[in-house]
Amino acid sequence: MALRRDWVYENNGGTCVAIAGTDYCVIAADTRLSVGYSIYTRDYSKICKLADKCVMASSGFQGDLKALQKNLAARHLIYQHQHNKQMSCPAMAQLLSNTLYYKRFFPYYTFNILGGLDSDGKGCVYTYDAVGSYERVGYSAQGTGAGLIIPVLDNQLKSPSPLLLPAKDAVTPLSETEAVDLVKDVFASATERDIYTGDKVEIMVINASGIRQELMELRKD
Amino acid sequence: MFRNQYDTDVTTWSPAGRLFQVEYAMEAVKQGAAAVGLRSTSHVVLATVNKAASDLSSHQRKVFKIDDHIGVAIAGLTADGRVLSRYLRNECINHSFVYESPLPVSRLVVRLADKAQVCTQRSWKRPFGVGLLVAGLDETGAHLYYNCPSGNYFEYQAFAIGSRSQAAKTFMERRFEAFNGYSRDELIKDAIFAIKETLQGEKLTSSICTVAVVGIDEPFHMLDQKTIQEVIDSIEIKEDDASAAAADQAPMQEEDKSSEAAAADQAPMQEEDKSSEAAPMDI
């Protein structure tokens, strides 16, 4: 419990994953909200649609996440008024980075992943730390289960890992259905070992025809 | 009104208790191109005549989306209108952020009116030279307001502002009692008809008018040219024999009259927000 005056955050747990494909992007997050060893709710969405082709998923402190989402949504509305169009995913990526760094000395305790289609229609995934350092990658995972998931993605996605240099265009050659299946598999595995991950996984697939949502049940223990 | 010794400052009263600068600001509204608004119980329609400065230029944007449930049409100094629209949008966004619900229209117009009033009581400012027809929908229903440069605002069933607006007002005065029962399409038709009245004989085409609708379950948006043209065509079929009966023959001082007739042919620089692939914000 946050009773100390100098620790105003809480970690609500959870895991997010995103994979970029040639013309699609898959973003997924579990729906469990926990504090300590308790579950507050099994049905909490950590995913937010920021723009037509841009979706953000975050784990960490959900209070900060809510505030961050509202902030970005308002900024997006202003952008639309001024530019008469929706924000592209790369533009939103930069905006998120700036918004996070703005609070460098009292950060948003959120570990974010941004996913969507870039201006060419190719899948893109951006991964962040709590203060706005970001990078475009082919796939990413954040949250309590990330340590269990990333090695599996490194192995399975047959695309250059972000750790390899020189940096290569890391979009996976997998098809959309294969990528979604992979996401379901990694979540099922992470649920087995990570206490904060489980209940349900919310999967959003963004492609040229729009955004599709899927829910899959996970173990509830 | 004529030039007199009490009209230099907005902070100077005349002996008759008038603020001439404010009244001159209202004159600016009367010089702008016409805008009309009509309201039923479930929908509000705004329509404007879009003047083009010349054949080479694009048409002025006179209708602005403020939020999903509110839009405005302006007449007068469009630059002032643009600035006020930005203010209104900001107010709506801030309210939504804090209260997670749309700003009620009546509250928005009060803020706008207060902002306008400030400019009538500062010696270093000037009144806004634009009148706004604010159309919006909230929990209490559909609303149409008119905000003056003076800081006054009134709610209307239907109203018209700008040049030759009297023709539109006369047309609507005959019919406004029925507006509450109108369907959305009848309202649009009457709005376009009212605009037609202000043109007084000039050809009405979809390229010189903008029509916007907001309704229950219908966020504020502008109609595309094709839809507008269809309504215009259906109006014109009906009145093959009727002339512009309500038109008054007052001398026209509009220098744009000839250019407007020329601009009625499809000008190459159409604003993208009228096309059917309009960007979502459609401002």
Side-chain angles (χ1 to χ4, degrees):
Chain A
M1 292 293 170
L3 289 173
R4 293 171 53 172
R5 294 265 224 85
D6 59 339
W7 184 251
V8 294
Y9 300 106
E10 239 174 28
N11 191 344
N12 299 121
T15 310
C16 313
V17 169
I19 300 178
T22 40
D23 61 349
Y24 66 88
C25 180
V26 182
I27 292 213
D30 72 324
T31 62
R32 174 178 287 176
L33 192 115
S34 352
V35 173
Y37 287 121
S38 308
I39 297 180
Y40 274 3
T41 178
R42 299 190 189 275
D43 201 7
Y44 190 83
S45 174
K46 302 186 182 70
I47 303 187
C48 175
K49 177 184 158 190
L50 295 175
D52 252 0
K53 302 275 185 239
C54 186
V55 169
M56 178 172 82
S58 333
S59 75
F61 177 37
Q62 295 302 319
D64 274 351
L65 174 60
K66 249 292 169 289
L68 181 62
Q69 286 172 353
K70 287 177 76 160
N71 202 327
L72 291 174
R75 293 297 303 274
H76 186 224
L77 203 48
I78 294 173
Y79 180 97
Q80 286 180 83
H81 278 134
Q82 290 174 342
H83 300 262
N84 207 13
K85 68 182 183 91
Q86 299 259 330
M87 259 176 123
S88 66
C89 202
M92 186 59 84
Q94 185 66 52
L95 177 64
L96 175 54
S97 170
N98 291 355
T99 308
L100 292 170
Y101 196 80
Y102 195 74
K103 277 172 61 73
R104 169 70 177 79
F105 300 111
F106 184 12
Y108 287 107
Y109 193 82
T110 54
F111 302 98
N112 309 294
I113 306 183
L114 204 71
L117 301 178
D118 66 10
S119 329
D120 300 322
K122 288 167 51 177
C124 62
V125 169
Y126 295 89
T127 189
Y128 294 78
D129 72 356
V131 285
S133 164
Y134 81 109
E135 191 189 4
R136 180 172 176 174
V137 287
Y139 58 91
S140 176
Q142 293 274 11
T144 47
L148 300 164
I149 293 180
I150 292 218
V152 178
L153 294 182
D154 281 340
N155 178 267
Q156 287 293 308
L157 278 176
K158 305 182 178 61
S159 59
S161 154
L163 295 169
L164 293 174
L165 288 174
K168 287 194 213 156
D169 181 20
V171 158
T172 177
L174 288 184
S175 77
E176 192 182 299
T177 25
E178 286 173 325
V180 172
D181 285 341
L182 177 60
V183 163
K184 291 179 179 170
D185 280 342
V186 294
F187 262 97
S189 303
T191 304
E192 295 289 318
R193 292 286 183 176
D194 176 27
I195 60 170
Y196 296 108
T197 305
D199 292 327
K200 282 199 280 282
V201 57
E202 191 184 358
I203 305 174
M204 307 265 251
V205 183
I206 307 158
N207 53 28
S209 39
I211 304 186
R212 190 182 90 233
Q213 197 205 28
E214 243 185 271
L215 278 169
M216 185 183 90
E217 295 290 327
L218 296 171
R219 284 188 64 166
K220 312 220 177 285
D221 62 358
Chain B
M1 66 202 87
F2 304 97
R3 192 103 179 61
N4 53 53
Q5 52 178 312
Y6 305 111
D7 67 355
T8 315
D9 279 327
V10 72
T11 49
T12 305
W13 287 99
S14 82
R18 296 159 69 169
L19 287 170
F20 280 106
Q21 279 296 308
V22 176
E23 295 185 22
Y24 293 166
M26 316 246 271
E27 277 300 305
V29 178
K30 294 184 199 161
Q31 299 300 326
V36 315
L38 295 78
R39 182 194 95 197
S40 75
T41 43
S42 60
H43 288 81
V44 194
V45 177
L46 293 173
T48 64
V49 172
N50 290 8
K51 268 197 280 211
S54 77
D55 287 347
L56 298 168
S57 79
S58 62
H59 296 279
Q60 285 248 297
R61 173 167 285 167
K62 288 167 53 80
V63 181
F64 297 88
K65 176 169 176 170
I66 302 299
D67 203 346
D68 282 338
H69 65 299
I70 300 183
V72 303
I74 63 173
L77 266 53
T78 42
D80 283 2
R82 212 174 49 238
V83 162
L84 287 177
S85 300
R86 195 162 57 228
Y87 169 73
L88 294 174
R89 284 170 178 163
N90 220 38
E91 293 294 296
C92 284
I93 289 175
N94 288 342
H95 189 273
S96 291
F97 188 93
V98 175
Y99 298 103
E100 297 257 338
S101 77
L103 179 57
V105 195
S106 51
R107 309 244 182 105
L108 182 66
V109 296
V110 170
R111 293 191 204 178
L112 180 59
D114 287 346
K115 191 170 165 69
Q117 191 279 341
V118 167
C119 299
T120 67
Q121 213 176 3
R122 305 280 184 272
S123 59
W124 63 89
K125 288 183 184 245
R126 64 157 176 84
F128 285 105
V130 64
L132 288 96
L133 283 173
V134 183
L137 218 80
D138 57 28
E139 281 181 341
T140 52
H143 298 280
L144 174 69
Y145 288 92
Y146 170 54
N147 278 71
C148 286
S150 61
N152 277 333
Y153 66 95
F154 307 96
E155 181 159 13
Y156 287 95
Q157 183 78 45
F159 201 51
I161 56 177
S163 68
R164 293 178 282 185
S165 55
Q166 188 51 51
K169 277 189 245 186
T170 315
F171 166 76
M172 293 192 291
E173 267 162 25
R174 281 186 262 123
R175 303 159 74 98
F176 77 94
E177 269 143 356
F179 281 170
N180 264 339
Y182 268 26
S183 72
R184 172 188 181 275
D185 293 331
E186 286 172 321
L187 215 60
I188 293 174
K189 199 174 205 168
D190 266 27
I192 294 182
F193 211 107
I195 284 289
K196 199 168 160 22
E197 294 291 302
T198 68
L199 290 174
Q200 312 223 317
E202 287 169 38
K203 182 141 175 53
L204 172 65
T205 65
S206 55
S207 54
I208 58 162
C209 83
T210 307
V211 181
V213 191
V214 61
I216 294 175
D217 299 333
E218 191 178 353
F220 185 89
H221 67 104
M222 271 165 266
L223 300 182
D224 61 286
Q225 283 212 288
K226 196 162 143 302
T227 316
I228 300 176
Q229 191 60 51
E230 281 165 13
V231 182
I232 294 175
D233 292 338
S234 73
I235 291 176
E236 266 156 19
I237 289 172
K238 279 209 189 125
E239 50 136 57
D240 264 329
D241 40 10
S243 52
D248 52 83
Q249 298 302 312
M252 304 297 180
Q253 282 146 315
E254 305 304 317
E255 62 285 329
D256 63 326
K257 188 176 189 304
S258 52
S259 69
E260 204 172 340
D265 311 310
Q266 298 287 27
M269 301 251 310
Q270 292 302 329
E271 294 194 85
E272 316 76 70
D273 59 359
K274 292 218 201 87
S275 71
S276 39
E277 319 94 44
M281 222 46 207
D282 233 354
I283 44 173

